[in-house]
Amino acid sequence: MSYQQPQLRDPRQRETDLSDRESLVSGHGHQGKSCQCTAVFNVVNSVIGSGIIGLPYSMKQAGFPLGVLLLFWVSYITDFSLILLIKGGALSGTDSYQSLVNKTFGFPGYLLLSALQFMYPFIAMISYNIITGDTLSKVFQRIPGVDPGSLFIGRHFIIVVSTVTLTLPLSLYRDIAKLGKISLISTILTILILGIVMTRAVSLGPNIPKTEDAWVFAKPNAIQAIGVMSFGDLFENYCRSDDLVTFGRFCYGITVILTYPIECFVTREVIANVFFGGNPSSVFHIILTVVIITAAMLVSLLIDCLGIVLELNGALCAAPLIFIIPSACYLKLSEEPRTHADKIMACVMLPVGAVVMVVGFVMAITNPQDCTHGQEMFYCLTSPDNISLTNISHSHLQLTTQPSLSNRSIFQ
């Protein structure tokens, strides 16, 4: 294992580097603008891509009113955490998260951060595979003449095929800028998905019975919602016989597939920095990519429930990365008085993050949420036109059990 100690550069050298960059940009203006657009599309795809569609899951966990408040609070905390990282970098003379933690807590801290930075996108890759398999299997079941029980439209087969034919080739790029066009397509598909969701909110709303606890201010699982605030599968709430939603599912599955390579890029970059000094050879680059994607695929084939994956990822990875580590670095480096606003805020964020991590993990293990994978919602059985192809043979059994489901939230 090789590890390179971050080096501080002389200010004059930084000025030289800056002038070189300015010359490069002025000499290739169009290329610079293109790179900026690519970066924007990649950021939008990573942040919004498949995440915007699943906020209802965290809202269900916390209660809608409290969930909205928590969403704004988590957004503020994330923004403030970035500010602490920037201030910590200025205090330590470093310019990256890894080098800041190394400067503050030494090599053990660097390894811990690297492990968290690897696990967070890696678990996200597993989640993407689960969503892809669940979503596209319902799409292919709607093809006329296709046997709903066929192996070739099953979630396992879809995960393997999509991995081999799409996500693996796209993830082999070494330059993330080349994913810019892919991210643009994903963003456009996300806009289409939002349009479909809003359309169905208007058309289906009057036909769905109100949930008794839909407007409860807070629920016991609010801690888990803080860790998640990520993505669940909103399309599980729609009937499989709905053709418009089927198109939306197809767009959603493609969006998830196109977002996957960005997460893979992050996991590979972490491993490359720790073991290869940040610049592995082409052979090791390919091998590393194949190993990471294969591992994520195998795990996703074994796990059938998305909720537990999101909760564990939020509690064990997101909370330390956002709440704990930036606060700890700033508190150790800053020489401001204890009454300084930034120090007070950091002192609050650190224990709150620890509570979210510990309590969220314990609740995810001891109080797992019901997994409704593949189950048709009760309102899809109220009309013959809404009975899905895969539930015809079981409709009588499900109709006898639906009264107990009528009180469940539609945000599964």
Side-chain angles (χ1 to χ4, degrees), residues 222-258:
I223 293 293
Q224 291 167 280
I226 295 176
V228 176
M229 286 296 171
S230 181
F231 47 83
D233 197 346
L234 181 61
F235 279 109
E236 285 291 309
N237 302 301
Y238 298 103
C239 305
R240 298 187 187 182
S241 58
D242 190 326
D243 291 332
L244 178 61
V245 171
T246 298
F247 175 69
R249 286 192 176 107
F250 176 76
C251 294
Y252 186 37
I254 299 300
T255 296
V256 170
I257 290 174
L258 297 182

Coordinates of all heavy atoms in Angstrom, one line a residue, residues 222-258:
A222 N -38.2 9.3 13.0 CA -37.6 10.5 12.5 C -36.1 10.4 12.4 O -35.4 11.0 11.5 CB -38.0 11.7 13.3
I223 N -35.4 9.8 13.4 CA -34.0 9.6 13.4 C -33.5 8.9 12.1 O -32.5 9.3 11.5 CB -33.5 8.9 14.6 CG1 -33.8 9.7 15.9 CG2 -32.0 8.6 14.6 CD1 -33.0 11.0 16.0
Q224 N -34.2 7.9 11.7 CA -33.9 7.1 10.5 C -34.0 8.0 9.3 O -33.3 7.9 8.4 CB -34.7 5.9 10.4 CG -34.4 4.8 11.5 CD -35.5 3.7 11.5 OE1 -36.5 3.9 12.1 NE2 -35.2 2.6 10.9
A225 N -35.1 8.9 9.3 CA -35.3 9.8 8.2 C -34.2 10.7 8.0 O -33.8 11.1 6.9 CB -36.6 10.5 8.4
I226 N -33.6 11.2 9.1 CA -32.4 12.1 9.0 C -31.3 11.5 8.2 O -30.6 12.1 7.4 CB -32.0 12.6 10.4 CG1 -33.1 13.4 11.1 CG2 -30.7 13.4 10.3 CD1 -32.7 13.8 12.5
G227 N -31.0 10.2 8.5 CA -29.9 9.5 7.9 C -30.2 9.2 6.4 O -29.3 9.3 5.6
V228 N -31.5 9.0 6.1 CA -31.9 8.6 4.8 C -31.9 9.9 3.9 O -31.0 10.1 3.1 CB -33.2 7.9 4.7 CG1 -33.6 7.6 3.3 CG2 -33.2 6.6 5.5
M229 N -32.9 10.7 4.0 CA -33.1 11.9 3.2 C -32.5 11.7 1.8 O -31.7 12.5 1.3 CB -32.5 13.1 3.9 CG -33.3 13.7 5.0 SD -34.9 14.3 4.5 CE -35.6 14.6 6.1
S230 N -32.8 10.5 1.2 CA -32.1 10.1 0.0 C -33.1 9.7 -1.0 O -33.9 10.5 -1.4 CB -31.1 9.0 0.4 OG -30.4 8.6 -0.7
F231 N -33.1 8.4 -1.3 CA -34.1 7.9 -2.3 C -34.7 6.6 -1.9 O -34.1 5.7 -1.5 CB -33.4 7.8 -3.7 CG -32.1 7.0 -3.7 CD1 -32.1 5.6 -3.7 CD2 -30.9 7.7 -3.6 CE1 -30.9 4.9 -3.6 CE2 -29.7 7.0 -3.5 CZ -29.7 5.6 -3.6
G232 N -36.1 6.5 -2.1 CA -36.8 5.3 -2.0 C -37.5 5.1 -3.3 O -37.2 5.9 -4.2
D233 N -38.3 4.1 -3.5 CA -38.9 3.8 -4.8 C -40.3 4.2 -4.8 O -41.2 3.5 -4.5 CB -38.8 2.3 -5.1 CG -39.0 2.0 -6.6 OD1 -39.4 2.9 -7.3 OD2 -38.7 0.9 -7.0
L234 N -40.5 5.5 -5.2 CA -41.9 6.1 -5.2 C -42.8 5.3 -6.2 O -44.0 5.3 -6.0 CB -41.8 7.6 -5.6 CG -43.1 8.3 -5.7 CD1 -43.8 8.4 -4.3 CD2 -42.8 9.8 -6.2
F235 N -42.2 4.7 -7.3 CA -43.0 4.1 -8.3 C -43.7 2.8 -7.8 O -44.5 2.2 -8.5 CB -42.2 3.8 -9.5 CG -42.1 5.0 -10.4 CD1 -40.9 5.7 -10.5 CD2 -43.2 5.5 -11.1 CE1 -40.8 6.8 -11.4 CE2 -43.1 6.6 -11.9 CZ -41.8 7.3 -12.1
E236 N -43.3 2.3 -6.6 CA -44.0 1.2 -6.0 C -45.4 1.5 -5.6 O -46.2 0.6 -5.4 CB -43.2 0.7 -4.7 CG -41.9 0.0 -4.9 CD -42.1 -1.3 -5.6 OE1 -42.9 -2.1 -5.0 OE2 -41.5 -1.6 -6.6
N237 N -45.8 2.8 -5.6 CA -47.1 3.2 -5.2 C -48.1 3.2 -6.4 O -49.3 3.5 -6.1 CB -47.1 4.6 -4.6 CG -46.2 4.6 -3.4 OD1 -46.3 3.9 -2.4 ND2 -45.2 5.5 -3.4
Y238 N -47.7 2.9 -7.6 CA -48.5 3.0 -8.7 C -48.9 1.6 -9.3 O -48.1 0.7 -9.1 CB -47.9 3.8 -9.8 CG -47.6 5.3 -9.5 CD1 -46.3 5.7 -9.1 CD2 -48.6 6.2 -9.4 CE1 -46.0 7.0 -8.8 CE2 -48.4 7.5 -9.0 CZ -47.1 7.9 -8.7 OH -46.8 9.2 -8.4
C239 N -50.0 1.6 -9.9 CA -50.5 0.3 -10.5 C -49.7 -0.1 -11.7 O -49.3 0.7 -12.5 CB -52.0 0.4 -10.9 SG -53.1 1.0 -9.6
R240 N -49.4 -1.4 -11.8 CA -48.6 -1.9 -12.8 C -49.2 -1.8 -14.2 O -48.6 -1.9 -15.2 CB -48.2 -3.4 -12.6 CG -47.4 -3.6 -11.3 CD -46.9 -5.0 -11.2 NE -46.3 -5.2 -9.8 CZ -45.8 -6.3 -9.5 NH1 -45.7 -7.4 -10.3 NH2 -45.2 -6.4 -8.3
S241 N -50.6 -1.7 -14.2 CA -51.3 -1.6 -15.5 C -51.3 -0.2 -16.0 O -51.9 0.0 -17.1 CB -52.7 -2.2 -15.3 OG -53.4 -1.4 -14.3
D242 N -50.8 0.7 -15.3 CA -50.8 2.1 -15.8 C -49.7 2.4 -16.8 O -48.5 2.3 -16.5 CB -50.6 3.0 -14.6 CG -50.8 4.5 -14.9 OD1 -50.5 4.9 -16.0 OD2 -51.3 5.2 -14.0
D243 N -50.1 2.6 -18.1 CA -49.1 2.7 -19.1 C -48.2 4.0 -19.0 O -47.0 4.0 -19.3 CB -49.8 2.8 -20.5 CG -50.4 1.4 -20.8 OD1 -49.9 0.4 -20.4 OD2 -51.4 1.4 -21.6
L244 N -48.8 5.1 -18.5 CA -48.0 6.3 -18.3 C -47.0 6.1 -17.3 O -45.8 6.5 -17.4 CB -49.0 7.5 -18.0 CG -48.3 8.8 -17.7 CD1 -47.5 9.3 -18.9 CD2 -49.2 9.9 -17.2
V245 N -47.4 5.5 -16.2 CA -46.4 5.2 -15.1 C -45.4 4.1 -15.6 O -44.2 4.2 -15.2 CB -47.2 4.7 -13.9 CG1 -46.2 4.1 -12.8 CG2 -48.0 5.8 -13.3
T246 N -45.8 3.2 -16.4 CA -44.8 2.3 -17.0 C -43.7 3.0 -17.8 O -42.5 2.7 -17.6 CB -45.5 1.3 -17.9 OG1 -46.5 0.5 -17.2 CG2 -44.5 0.3 -18.6
F247 N -44.1 4.0 -18.5 CA -43.1 4.8 -19.2 C -42.2 5.6 -18.2 O -41.0 5.7 -18.4 CB -43.8 5.8 -20.1 CG -42.8 6.8 -20.8 CD1 -41.9 6.4 -21.8 CD2 -42.8 8.1 -20.4 CE1 -41.0 7.2 -22.4 CE2 -41.9 9.0 -21.0 CZ -41.0 8.6 -22.0
G248 N -42.9 6.1 -17.1 CA -42.1 6.7 -16.1 C -41.1 5.8 -15.4 O -40.0 6.2 -15.1
R249 N -41.5 4.5 -15.2 CA -40.6 3.5 -14.6 C -39.4 3.3 -15.5 O -38.3 3.1 -15.0 CB -41.4 2.2 -14.4 CG -42.4 2.3 -13.2 CD -42.8 0.9 -12.8 NE -43.7 0.9 -11.7 CZ -45.0 0.7 -11.7 NH1 -45.6 0.5 -12.9 NH2 -45.7 0.7 -10.6
F250 N -39.7 3.2 -16.8 CA -38.6 3.0 -17.8 C -37.6 4.2 -17.7 O -36.4 3.9 -17.6 CB -39.2 2.9 -19.2 CG -38.1 2.8 -20.2 CD1 -37.4 1.6 -20.4 CD2 -37.8 3.9 -21.0 CE1 -36.5 1.5 -21.4 CE2 -36.8 3.7 -22.0 CZ -36.2 2.6 -22.2
C251 N -38.1 5.4 -17.7 CA -37.2 6.6 -17.6 C -36.5 6.5 -16.2 O -35.3 6.9 -16.2 CB -38.1 7.9 -17.6 SG -38.9 8.2 -19.2
Y252 N -37.1 6.1 -15.2 CA -36.5 6.1 -13.9 C -35.4 5.1 -13.9 O -34.3 5.3 -13.3 CB -37.6 5.8 -12.8 CG -37.1 5.8 -11.4 CD1 -36.1 6.8 -11.0 CD2 -37.5 4.9 -10.4 CE1 -35.7 6.8 -9.7 CE2 -37.1 5.0 -9.1 CZ -36.2 5.9 -8.8 OH -35.8 6.0 -7.5
G253 N -35.6 3.9 -14.4 CA -34.6 2.8 -14.5 C -33.4 3.3 -15.3 O -32.3 3.1 -14.9
I254 N -33.6 4.0 -16.4 CA -32.5 4.5 -17.2 C -31.8 5.6 -16.4 O -30.5 5.6 -16.5 CB -33.0 5.0 -18.5 CG1 -33.7 3.9 -19.4 CG2 -31.9 5.6 -19.3 CD1 -32.8 2.7 -19.7
T255 N -32.5 6.4 -15.7 CA -31.8 7.5 -15.0 C -30.9 6.9 -13.9 O -29.8 7.4 -13.7 CB -32.9 8.4 -14.3 OG1 -33.7 9.0 -15.3 CG2 -32.3 9.4 -13.4
V256 N -31.4 5.9 -13.2 CA -30.6 5.2 -12.2 C -29.3 4.6 -12.8 O -28.2 4.7 -12.2 CB -31.4 4.2 -11.4 CG1 -30.5 3.4 -10.5 CG2 -32.5 4.9 -10.6
I257 N -29.5 4.0 -13.9 CA -28.3 3.3 -14.6 C -27.3 4.4 -15.0 O -26.1 4.2 -14.9 CB -28.8 2.6 -15.8 CG1 -29.6 1.3 -15.4 CG2 -27.6 2.1 -16.7 CD1 -30.2 0.5 -16.5
L258 N -27.8 5.6 -15.5 CA -26.9 6.6 -15.9 C -26.2 7.3 -14.7 O -25.2 8.0 -14.9 CB -27.6 7.6 -16.8 CG -28.2 7.0 -18.1 CD1 -28.9 8.1 -18.9 CD2 -27.1 6.3 -18.9

